[in-house]
Amino acid sequence: MPTLLLVRHGRSTANSAGILAGWTPGVDLDETGRAQAAALPDRLAGLPIARLVSSPLERCRQTLEPLRAARPDLAEPDADERLGECHYGEWTGRPLSELAQEPLWRTVQDHASAAAFPGGESLRALSHRTVDAVREWNDKIAVDHGPDALWVAATHGDVIKAIVADALGLHLDHFQRISVEPCSVTAIRYTPHRPYLLRLGDTGDLGALAPRPHGRSAGDDAVVGGETGTA
Protein backbone atom coordinates (compact mmCIF):
# COMPACT_ATOMS: atom_id res chain seq x y z
CA MET A 1 0.00 0.00 0.00
CA PRO A 2 1.13 3.62 -0.52
CA THR A 3 3.40 5.55 1.82
CA LEU A 4 2.04 8.79 3.25
CA LEU A 5 4.43 11.68 3.92
CA LEU A 6 2.81 14.02 6.42
CA VAL A 7 4.44 17.45 6.24
CA ARG A 8 3.76 19.85 9.04
CA HIS A 9 3.66 23.41 7.73
CA GLY A 10 6.74 25.58 8.24
CA ARG A 11 6.94 27.94 11.16
CA SER A 12 4.17 30.51 10.96
CA THR A 13 3.74 34.03 12.25
CA ALA A 14 1.39 32.61 14.89
CA ASN A 15 3.98 30.00 15.96
CA SER A 16 6.64 32.65 16.46
CA ALA A 17 4.18 34.91 18.30
CA GLY A 18 2.93 32.12 20.59
CA ILE A 19 -0.65 32.43 19.35
CA LEU A 20 -3.12 29.58 18.79
CA ALA A 21 -3.95 30.25 15.15
CA GLY A 22 -6.58 27.62 14.43
CA TRP A 23 -8.50 28.62 11.30
CA THR A 24 -7.65 32.32 11.56
CA PRO A 25 -7.26 33.59 7.98
CA GLY A 26 -4.08 35.30 6.83
CA VAL A 27 -1.64 33.37 9.03
CA ASP A 28 1.42 33.02 6.81
CA LEU A 29 4.84 31.44 7.13
CA ASP A 30 7.37 33.65 8.86
CA GLU A 31 10.94 34.10 7.57
CA THR A 32 12.11 30.87 9.18
CA GLY A 33 9.09 29.01 7.85
CA ARG A 34 9.74 30.22 4.31
CA ALA A 35 13.34 28.99 4.56
CA GLN A 36 12.11 25.63 5.85
CA ALA A 37 9.68 25.34 2.93
CA ALA A 38 12.42 26.30 0.46
CA ALA A 39 14.56 23.41 1.76
CA LEU A 40 11.78 20.84 1.41
CA PRO A 41 12.32 20.02 -2.31
CA ASP A 42 15.95 19.01 -1.68
CA ARG A 43 14.94 16.87 1.28
CA LEU A 44 12.41 15.04 -0.90
CA ALA A 45 14.66 14.87 -3.97
CA GLY A 46 14.60 11.46 -5.61
CA LEU A 47 11.25 10.48 -4.13
CA PRO A 48 8.66 9.76 -6.84
CA ILE A 49 5.78 11.68 -5.32
CA ALA A 50 2.47 10.79 -6.92
CA ARG A 51 0.18 13.43 -5.44
CA LEU A 52 0.01 16.46 -3.19
CA VAL A 53 -2.85 17.02 -0.76
CA SER A 54 -3.14 19.95 1.63
CA SER A 55 -5.07 21.56 4.39
CA PRO A 56 -6.78 24.60 2.82
CA LEU A 57 -5.06 27.00 5.23
CA GLU A 58 -2.48 29.40 3.83
CA ARG A 59 0.50 28.22 5.86
CA CYS A 60 0.15 24.67 4.52
CA ARG A 61 -0.31 25.74 0.91
CA GLN A 62 2.70 28.06 1.23
CA THR A 63 4.81 25.19 2.57
CA LEU A 64 4.14 23.16 -0.59
CA GLU A 65 4.76 26.02 -3.05
CA PRO A 66 8.54 25.44 -3.42
CA LEU A 67 8.00 21.69 -3.84
CA ARG A 68 5.34 22.29 -6.47
CA ALA A 69 7.64 24.73 -8.30
CA ALA A 70 10.46 22.17 -8.29
CA ARG A 71 8.17 19.40 -9.55
CA PRO A 72 6.23 20.81 -12.52
CA ASP A 73 4.99 17.29 -13.26
CA LEU A 74 2.91 17.37 -10.08
CA ALA A 75 -0.63 18.68 -10.17
CA GLU A 76 -1.68 21.49 -7.85
CA PRO A 77 -2.35 20.22 -4.32
CA ASP A 78 -5.83 18.89 -3.66
CA ALA A 79 -7.33 20.87 -0.76
CA ASP A 80 -9.13 18.78 1.85
CA GLU A 81 -10.84 20.55 4.74
CA ARG A 82 -10.67 17.34 6.78
CA LEU A 83 -6.90 17.91 7.01
CA GLY A 84 -7.38 21.44 8.31
CA GLU A 85 -6.42 22.56 11.78
CA CYS A 86 -8.55 21.79 14.80
CA HIS A 87 -11.50 24.15 15.21
CA TYR A 88 -10.47 25.70 18.52
CA GLY A 89 -13.57 27.89 18.85
CA GLU A 90 -13.23 30.56 21.54
CA TRP A 91 -9.57 29.65 22.03
CA THR A 92 -8.69 30.76 18.51
CA GLY A 93 -6.29 33.69 18.34
CA ARG A 94 -5.43 33.70 22.04
CA PRO A 95 -1.86 33.54 23.44
CA LEU A 96 -0.75 30.08 24.50
CA SER A 97 0.62 31.51 27.73
CA GLU A 98 -2.89 32.71 28.59
CA LEU A 99 -4.57 29.46 27.53
CA ALA A 100 -2.20 27.49 29.76
CA GLN A 101 -4.00 29.03 32.75
CA GLU A 102 -7.39 27.66 31.64
CA PRO A 103 -8.70 24.53 33.46
CA LEU A 104 -9.33 22.90 30.05
CA TRP A 105 -5.61 23.10 29.28
CA ARG A 106 -4.81 20.22 31.63
CA THR A 107 -7.56 18.13 30.06
CA VAL A 108 -6.08 18.78 26.61
CA GLN A 109 -2.66 17.72 27.86
CA ASP A 110 -3.59 14.74 30.03
CA HIS A 111 -6.98 13.43 28.82
CA ALA A 112 -7.32 14.54 25.21
CA SER A 113 -10.24 12.22 24.46
CA ALA A 114 -12.35 14.27 26.89
CA ALA A 115 -11.31 17.67 25.53
CA ALA A 116 -13.81 19.75 23.58
CA PHE A 117 -13.04 23.40 22.80
CA PRO A 118 -15.76 25.92 23.68
CA GLY A 119 -17.53 26.86 20.48
CA GLY A 120 -15.25 24.50 18.53
CA GLU A 121 -14.72 20.77 18.09
CA SER A 122 -13.48 17.97 20.28
CA LEU A 123 -10.12 16.29 19.81
CA ARG A 124 -12.04 13.04 19.25
CA ALA A 125 -13.77 14.65 16.27
CA LEU A 126 -10.41 15.93 15.00
CA SER A 127 -8.98 12.42 15.18
CA HIS A 128 -11.91 10.81 13.41
CA ARG A 129 -12.04 13.25 10.49
CA THR A 130 -8.30 13.32 9.87
CA VAL A 131 -7.76 9.57 10.08
CA ASP A 132 -10.74 8.98 7.78
CA ALA A 133 -9.28 11.50 5.32
CA VAL A 134 -5.81 9.96 5.04
CA ARG A 135 -7.14 6.41 4.80
CA GLU A 136 -9.56 7.39 2.03
CA TRP A 137 -6.82 9.24 0.14
CA ASN A 138 -4.49 6.29 0.61
CA ASP A 139 -7.00 3.89 -0.96
CA LYS A 140 -7.62 6.26 -3.87
CA ILE A 141 -3.90 6.76 -4.53
CA ALA A 142 -3.33 3.00 -4.45
CA VAL A 143 -5.93 2.63 -7.21
CA ASP A 144 -4.65 5.59 -9.26
CA HIS A 145 -0.89 5.18 -8.81
CA GLY A 146 -0.23 1.67 -7.52
CA PRO A 147 0.65 0.13 -4.16
CA ASP A 148 4.19 1.55 -4.03
CA ALA A 149 3.15 5.18 -4.52
CA LEU A 150 4.31 7.95 -2.20
CA TRP A 151 2.11 10.95 -1.57
CA VAL A 152 2.39 14.13 0.49
CA ALA A 153 -0.18 15.71 2.78
CA ALA A 154 0.61 19.15 4.23
CA THR A 155 -1.21 19.71 7.47
CA HIS A 156 -0.89 20.74 11.14
CA GLY A 157 0.76 19.52 14.31
CA ASP A 158 -2.29 18.22 16.18
CA VAL A 159 -3.57 16.58 13.00
CA ILE A 160 -0.31 14.70 12.49
CA LYS A 161 -0.17 13.65 16.13
CA ALA A 162 -3.71 12.25 15.93
CA ILE A 163 -2.91 10.31 12.73
CA VAL A 164 0.30 8.92 14.25
CA ALA A 165 -1.53 7.87 17.42
CA ASP A 166 -4.03 5.96 15.29
CA ALA A 167 -1.25 4.33 13.24
CA LEU A 168 0.51 3.16 16.41
CA GLY A 169 -2.68 1.96 18.08
CA LEU A 170 -2.29 4.54 20.85
CA HIS A 171 -5.25 5.85 22.78
CA LEU A 172 -5.90 9.49 21.94
CA ASP A 173 -5.08 10.37 25.54
CA HIS A 174 -1.44 9.65 24.70
CA PHE A 175 -1.20 11.82 21.59
CA GLN A 176 0.54 14.67 23.45
CA ARG A 177 3.54 12.34 23.86
CA ILE A 178 4.14 12.77 20.12
CA SER A 179 6.14 15.77 18.89
CA VAL A 180 6.43 17.05 15.32
CA GLU A 181 8.46 20.17 14.55
CA PRO A 182 7.51 22.74 11.87
CA CYS A 183 8.26 21.47 8.37
CA SER A 184 9.11 18.01 9.69
CA VAL A 185 8.08 14.92 7.72
CA THR A 186 6.32 11.92 9.24
CA ALA A 187 6.07 8.82 7.05
CA ILE A 188 3.45 6.11 7.47
CA ARG A 189 3.13 3.06 5.26
CA TYR A 190 -0.33 1.50 5.31
CA THR A 191 -0.63 -2.24 4.61
CA PRO A 192 -3.65 -4.57 4.53
CA HIS A 193 -2.83 -5.65 8.09
CA ARG A 194 -1.57 -2.56 9.90
CA PRO A 195 0.21 0.78 9.39
CA TYR A 196 3.96 1.14 9.94
CA LEU A 197 5.54 4.35 11.19
CA LEU A 198 8.70 4.85 9.12
CA ARG A 199 9.65 8.38 10.20
CA LEU A 200 8.41 10.66 12.98
CA GLY A 201 9.06 14.40 12.85
CA ASP A 202 12.08 13.96 10.57
CA THR A 203 13.82 17.23 9.66
CA GLY A 204 16.65 15.68 7.63
CA ASP A 205 17.14 13.85 4.34
CA LEU A 206 14.41 11.41 3.32
CA GLY A 207 15.98 9.66 0.34
CA ALA A 208 15.83 6.27 2.03
CA LEU A 209 12.06 6.31 1.64
CA ALA A 210 12.31 5.88 -2.15
CA PRO A 211 10.72 2.69 -3.49
CA ARG A 212 13.29 -0.08 -3.92
CA PRO A 213 13.95 -2.16 -7.05
CA HIS A 214 11.91 -5.23 -7.89
CA GLY A 215 8.78 -3.90 -6.25
CA ARG A 216 10.20 -3.58 -2.74
CA SER A 217 9.12 -0.40 -1.03
CA ALA A 218 10.21 1.72 1.90
CA GLY A 219 9.17 -0.06 5.07
CA ASP A 220 9.28 -3.58 3.64
CA ASP A 221 11.96 -4.62 6.14
CA ALA A 222 9.79 -3.36 8.95
CA VAL A 223 6.78 -5.21 7.53
CA VAL A 224 8.68 -8.50 7.20
CA GLY A 225 10.23 -8.20 10.64
CA GLY A 226 6.92 -7.25 12.20
CA GLU A 227 5.05 -10.14 10.60
CA THR A 228 7.62 -12.78 11.50
CA GLY A 229 8.47 -11.49 14.95
CA THR A 230 12.16 -11.09 14.10
CA ALA A 231 12.29 -7.29 14.33
Side-chain angles (χ1 to χ4, degrees), residues 161-174:
K161 288 156 58 177
I163 293 169
V164 169
D166 170 77
L168 292 177
L170 292 178
H171 195 284
L172 186 62
D173 286 349
H174 300 312

Side-chain angles (χ1 to χ4, degrees), residues 99-115:
L99 292 172
Q101 308 307 312
E102 296 277 356
L104 179 60
W105 182 269
R106 289 282 15 125
T107 304
V108 171
Q109 301 302 315
D110 300 334
H111 193 24
S113 64

Side-chain angles (χ1 to χ4, degrees), residues 1-3 50 138-150:
M1 294 293 287
T3 298
N138 211 63
D139 290 343
K140 176 175 175 53
I141 287 165
V143 171
D144 292 346
H145 300 281
D148 294 328
L150 286 86

Side-chain angles (χ1 to χ4, degrees), residues 62-150:
Q62 290 168 357
T63 298
L64 290 183
E65 284 174 1
L67 180 61
R68 174 70 179 82
R71 301 280 189 99
D73 56 307
L74 284 173
E76 289 289 336
D78 292 286
D80 190 333
E81 290 203 357
R82 296 174 299 173
L83 295 177
E85 181 61 283
C86 185
H87 293 277
Y88 293 115
E90 295 171 15
W91 278 31
T92 301
R94 294 176 60 189
L96 294 172
S97 58
E98 178 182 295
L99 292 172
Q101 308 307 312
E102 296 277 356
L104 179 60
W105 182 269
R106 289 282 15 125
T107 304
V108 171
Q109 301 302 315
D110 300 334
H111 193 24
S113 64
F117 297 96
E121 71 179 328
S122 68
L123 287 173
R124 293 190 314 278
L126 169 76
S127 176
H128 291 156
R129 68 169 163 89
T130 57
V131 169
D132 283 350
V134 297
R135 288 180 178 269
E136 287 177 20
W137 274 109
N138 211 63
D139 290 343
K140 176 175 175 53
I141 287 165
V143 171
D144 292 346
H145 300 281
D148 294 328
L150 286 86

